[in-house]
Amino acid sequence: MTRLNLLLLGVVIACALGVVTSQHKARRAYIELQKAQTEARRLDVEWGQLQLEQSTWAMHSRIEKEAASRLGMRVPDAGHTQVVPLKRGGG
């Protein structure tokens, strides 16, 4: 009977260690998940800021101002503008 008790005690201890180990792994995985979610939120905010910055840089008035100041470009007057009609249909 003592051998059976010792065997059962060993099995119980092994099971207990298995539970502790799996709980520890689960807690570590949960911490990593929280870190990843925090990083994802930070990256989402940064992405939104970059989209806003891109739309600011691409504004027509800003591009026109830069073209005039840096490149010396200007909008042609109406006498130098020709409108080409767009063909629609078969050909």
Side-chain angles (χ1 to χ4, degrees), residues 50-70:
L50 289 173
Q51 285 179 320
L52 180 62
E53 183 178 349
Q54 180 184 22
S55 67
T56 302
W57 282 94
M59 287 178 62
H60 180 72
S61 59
R62 185 185 176 287
I63 292 172
E64 192 170 323
K65 180 181 145 195
E66 291 294 321
S69 65
R70 288 189 184 184

